[in-house]
PDB file of all heavy atoms in Angstrom:
ATOM      1  N   LEU A 130     -28.035 -14.362   7.786  1.00 98.00           N
ATOM      2  CA  LEU A 130     -29.155 -14.752   6.926  1.00 98.00           C
ATOM      3  C   LEU A 130     -30.059 -15.762   7.614  1.00 98.00           C
ATOM      4  O   LEU A 130     -31.286 -15.596   7.604  1.00 98.00           O
ATOM      5  CB  LEU A 130     -28.632 -15.342   5.603  1.00 98.00           C
ATOM      6  CG  LEU A 130     -28.129 -14.331   4.577  1.00 98.00           C
ATOM      7  CD1 LEU A 130     -27.394 -15.042   3.440  1.00 98.00           C
ATOM      8  CD2 LEU A 130     -29.261 -13.481   4.003  1.00 98.00           C
ATOM      9  N   ILE A 131     -29.462 -16.795   8.233  1.00 98.00           N
ATOM     10  CA  ILE A 131     -30.348 -17.838   8.783  1.00 98.00           C
ATOM     11  C   ILE A 131     -31.098 -17.335  10.022  1.00 98.00           C
ATOM     12  O   ILE A 131     -32.166 -17.829  10.330  1.00 98.00           O
ATOM     13  CB  ILE A 131     -29.630 -19.195   9.036  1.00 98.00           C
ATOM     14  CG1 ILE A 131     -28.578 -19.086  10.131  1.00 98.00           C
ATOM     15  CG2 ILE A 131     -29.046 -19.764   7.756  1.00 98.00           C
ATOM     16  CD1 ILE A 131     -27.938 -20.439  10.500  1.00 98.00           C
ATOM     17  N   ARG A 132     -30.537 -16.338  10.739  1.00 98.00           N
ATOM     18  CA  ARG A 132     -31.263 -15.748  11.870  1.00 98.00           C
ATOM     19  C   ARG A 132     -32.148 -14.582  11.418  1.00 98.00           C
ATOM     20  O   ARG A 132     -32.773 -13.919  12.233  1.00 98.00           O
ATOM     21  CB  ARG A 132     -30.300 -15.239  12.952  1.00 98.00           C
ATOM     22  CG  ARG A 132     -29.453 -16.288  13.636  1.00 98.00           C
ATOM     23  CD  ARG A 132     -30.219 -17.483  14.177  1.00 98.00           C
ATOM     24  NE  ARG A 132     -31.223 -17.159  15.163  1.00 98.00           N
ATOM     25  CZ  ARG A 132     -31.338 -17.755  16.352  1.00 98.00           C
ATOM     26  NH1 ARG A 132     -30.476 -18.699  16.701  1.00 98.00           N
ATOM     27  NH2 ARG A 132     -32.299 -17.430  17.169  1.00 98.00           N
ATOM     28  N   LYS A 133     -32.149 -14.301  10.116  1.00 97.00           N
ATOM     29  CA  LYS A 133     -32.993 -13.247   9.508  1.00 97.00           C
ATOM     30  C   LYS A 133     -32.745 -11.873  10.144  1.00 97.00           C
ATOM     31  O   LYS A 133     -33.663 -11.074  10.356  1.00 97.00           O
ATOM     32  CB  LYS A 133     -34.467 -13.633   9.572  1.00 97.00           C
ATOM     33  CG  LYS A 133     -34.686 -15.024   8.955  1.00 97.00           C
ATOM     34  CD  LYS A 133     -36.137 -15.364   8.847  1.00 97.00           C
ATOM     35  CE  LYS A 133     -36.395 -16.826   8.589  1.00 97.00           C
ATOM     36  NZ  LYS A 133     -35.745 -17.477   7.489  1.00 97.00           N
ATOM     37  N   ILE A 136     -33.737  -8.631   8.317  1.00 94.00           N
ATOM     38  CA  ILE A 136     -35.168  -8.301   8.379  1.00 94.00           C
ATOM     39  C   ILE A 136     -35.503  -7.743   9.769  1.00 94.00           C
ATOM     40  O   ILE A 136     -36.223  -6.746   9.891  1.00 94.00           O
ATOM     41  CB  ILE A 136     -36.017  -9.550   8.057  1.00 94.00           C
ATOM     42  CG1 ILE A 136     -35.627 -10.081   6.674  1.00 94.00           C
ATOM     43  CG2 ILE A 136     -37.511  -9.231   8.124  1.00 94.00           C
ATOM     44  CD1 ILE A 136     -36.287 -11.384   6.276  1.00 94.00           C
ATOM     45  N   PHE A 137     -34.919  -8.349  10.831  1.00 96.00           N
ATOM     46  CA  PHE A 137     -35.174  -7.830  12.184  1.00 96.00           C
ATOM     47  C   PHE A 137     -34.647  -6.395  12.316  1.00 96.00           C
ATOM     48  O   PHE A 137     -35.309  -5.538  12.900  1.00 96.00           O
ATOM     49  CB  PHE A 137     -34.534  -8.734  13.249  1.00 96.00           C
ATOM     50  CG  PHE A 137     -35.378  -9.931  13.581  1.00 96.00           C
ATOM     51  CD1 PHE A 137     -34.921 -11.218  13.371  1.00 96.00           C
ATOM     52  CD2 PHE A 137     -36.650  -9.763  14.119  1.00 96.00           C
ATOM     53  CE1 PHE A 137     -35.712 -12.323  13.677  1.00 96.00           C
ATOM     54  CE2 PHE A 137     -37.446 -10.863  14.427  1.00 96.00           C
ATOM     55  CZ  PHE A 137     -36.966 -12.155  14.199  1.00 96.00           C
ATOM     56  N   ARG A 140     -37.043  -4.088  10.768  1.00 95.00           N
ATOM     57  CA  ARG A 140     -38.266  -3.949  11.586  1.00 95.00           C
ATOM     58  C   ARG A 140     -37.991  -3.104  12.836  1.00 95.00           C
ATOM     59  O   ARG A 140     -38.794  -2.266  13.219  1.00 95.00           O
ATOM     60  CB  ARG A 140     -38.779  -5.328  12.009  1.00 95.00           C
ATOM     61  CG  ARG A 140     -39.450  -6.040  10.885  1.00 95.00           C
ATOM     62  CD  ARG A 140     -40.277  -7.174  11.419  1.00 95.00           C
ATOM     63  NE  ARG A 140     -40.788  -7.958  10.307  1.00 95.00           N
ATOM     64  CZ  ARG A 140     -41.514  -9.048  10.448  1.00 95.00           C
ATOM     65  NH1 ARG A 140     -41.807  -9.495  11.643  1.00 95.00           N
ATOM     66  NH2 ARG A 140     -41.957  -9.701   9.408  1.00 95.00           N
ATOM     67  N   TRP A 148     -42.246 -10.889  15.724  1.00 96.00           N
ATOM     68  CA  TRP A 148     -41.326 -11.880  15.165  1.00 96.00           C
ATOM     69  C   TRP A 148     -42.008 -13.046  14.460  1.00 96.00           C
ATOM     70  O   TRP A 148     -41.357 -13.923  13.925  1.00 96.00           O
ATOM     71  CB  TRP A 148     -40.354 -12.405  16.215  1.00 96.00           C
ATOM     72  CG  TRP A 148     -40.936 -12.704  17.588  1.00 96.00           C
ATOM     73  CD1 TRP A 148     -40.859 -11.886  18.671  1.00 96.00           C
ATOM     74  CD2 TRP A 148     -41.670 -13.860  18.008  1.00 96.00           C
ATOM     75  NE1 TRP A 148     -41.490 -12.464  19.745  1.00 96.00           N
ATOM     76  CE2 TRP A 148     -41.988 -13.681  19.369  1.00 96.00           C
ATOM     77  CE3 TRP A 148     -42.077 -15.034  17.375  1.00 96.00           C
ATOM     78  CZ2 TRP A 148     -42.712 -14.617  20.095  1.00 96.00           C
ATOM     79  CZ3 TRP A 148     -42.787 -15.978  18.093  1.00 96.00           C
ATOM     80  CH2 TRP A 148     -43.111 -15.755  19.451  1.00 96.00           C
ATOM     81  N   ALA A 149     -43.336 -13.058  14.434  1.00 95.00           N
ATOM     82  CA  ALA A 149     -44.032 -14.176  13.781  1.00 95.00           C
ATOM     83  C   ALA A 149     -43.563 -14.300  12.332  1.00 95.00           C
ATOM     84  O   ALA A 149     -43.362 -13.304  11.642  1.00 95.00           O
ATOM     85  CB  ALA A 149     -45.537 -13.945  13.828  1.00 95.00           C
ATOM     86  N   GLY A 150     -43.359 -15.521  11.888  1.00 94.00           N
ATOM     87  CA  GLY A 150     -42.963 -15.766  10.488  1.00 94.00           C
ATOM     88  C   GLY A 150     -41.461 -15.717  10.265  1.00 94.00           C
ATOM     89  O   GLY A 150     -40.988 -15.990   9.167  1.00 94.00           O
ATOM     90  N   LEU A 151     -40.701 -15.381  11.312  1.00 96.00           N
ATOM     91  CA  LEU A 151     -39.250 -15.252  11.121  1.00 96.00           C
ATOM     92  C   LEU A 151     -38.468 -16.299  11.919  1.00 96.00           C
ATOM     93  O   LEU A 151     -37.409 -16.016  12.467  1.00 96.00           O
ATOM     94  CB  LEU A 151     -38.793 -13.831  11.487  1.00 96.00           C
ATOM     95  CG  LEU A 151     -39.318 -12.722  10.562  1.00 96.00           C
ATOM     96  CD1 LEU A 151     -38.806 -11.354  10.998  1.00 96.00           C
ATOM     97  CD2 LEU A 151     -38.923 -12.967   9.115  1.00 96.00           C
ATOM     98  N   GLN A 152     -39.015 -17.510  11.964  1.00 97.00           N
ATOM     99  CA  GLN A 152     -38.306 -18.587  12.673  1.00 97.00           C
ATOM    100  C   GLN A 152     -36.973 -18.873  11.989  1.00 97.00           C
ATOM    101  O   GLN A 152     -36.894 -18.921  10.763  1.00 97.00           O
ATOM    102  CB  GLN A 152     -39.168 -19.853  12.677  1.00 97.00           C
ATOM    103  CG  GLN A 152     -38.501 -21.013  13.376  1.00 97.00           C
ATOM    104  CD  GLN A 152     -39.397 -22.247  13.373  1.00 97.00           C
ATOM    105  OE1 GLN A 152     -40.332 -22.357  14.156  1.00 97.00           O
ATOM    106  NE2 GLN A 152     -39.123 -23.156  12.477  1.00 97.00           N
ATOM    107  N   ALA A 153     -35.933 -19.078  12.803  1.00 97.00           N
ATOM    108  CA  ALA A 153     -34.593 -19.320  12.253  1.00 97.00           C
ATOM    109  C   ALA A 153     -34.305 -20.819  12.152  1.00 97.00           C
ATOM    110  O   ALA A 153     -35.096 -21.642  12.609  1.00 97.00           O
ATOM    111  CB  ALA A 153     -33.557 -18.657  13.155  1.00 97.00           C
ATOM    112  N   THR A 154     -33.180 -21.151  11.540  1.00 98.00           N
ATOM    113  CA  THR A 154     -32.698 -22.525  11.541  1.00 98.00           C
ATOM    114  C   THR A 154     -31.370 -22.543  12.289  1.00 98.00           C
ATOM    115  O   THR A 154     -30.681 -21.522  12.345  1.00 98.00           O
ATOM    116  CB  THR A 154     -32.467 -23.040  10.105  1.00 98.00           C
ATOM    117  OG1 THR A 154     -31.768 -22.028   9.372  1.00 98.00           O
ATOM    118  CG2 THR A 154     -33.764 -23.348   9.410  1.00 98.00           C
ATOM    119  N   GLU A 155     -31.019 -23.700  12.883  1.00 98.00           N
ATOM    120  CA  GLU A 155     -29.741 -23.800  13.607  1.00 98.00           C
ATOM    121  C   GLU A 155     -28.699 -24.379  12.668  1.00 98.00           C
ATOM    122  O   GLU A 155     -28.981 -25.309  11.902  1.00 98.00           O
ATOM    123  CB  GLU A 155     -29.920 -24.649  14.871  1.00 98.00           C
ATOM    124  CG  GLU A 155     -30.858 -23.965  15.847  1.00 98.00           C
ATOM    125  CD  GLU A 155     -31.038 -24.712  17.161  1.00 98.00           C
ATOM    126  OE1 GLU A 155     -30.163 -25.520  17.521  1.00 98.00           O
ATOM    127  OE2 GLU A 155     -32.073 -24.484  17.823  1.00 98.00           O
ATOM    128  N   TYR A 241     -29.754 -20.240   0.754  1.00 98.00           N
ATOM    129  CA  TYR A 241     -29.111 -18.923   0.629  1.00 98.00           C
ATOM    130  C   TYR A 241     -27.839 -19.040  -0.201  1.00 98.00           C
ATOM    131  O   TYR A 241     -27.136 -20.048  -0.146  1.00 98.00           O
ATOM    132  CB  TYR A 241     -28.731 -18.394   2.015  1.00 98.00           C
ATOM    133  CG  TYR A 241     -29.920 -18.102   2.897  1.00 98.00           C
ATOM    134  CD1 TYR A 241     -30.272 -18.969   3.934  1.00 98.00           C
ATOM    135  CD2 TYR A 241     -30.686 -16.954   2.696  1.00 98.00           C
ATOM    136  CE1 TYR A 241     -31.362 -18.697   4.752  1.00 98.00           C
ATOM    137  CE2 TYR A 241     -31.779 -16.685   3.511  1.00 98.00           C
ATOM    138  CZ  TYR A 241     -32.114 -17.561   4.532  1.00 98.00           C
ATOM    139  OH  TYR A 241     -33.193 -17.296   5.331  1.00 98.00           O
TER     140      TYR A 241
END
Side-chain angles (χ1 to χ4, degrees):
L130 283 169
I131 66 175
R132 296 309 300 231
K133 307 187 195 307
I136 303 175
F137 278 119
R140 285 197 187 178
W148 42 261
L151 294 180
Q152 179 179 282
T154 46
E155 295 183 22
Y241 294 104

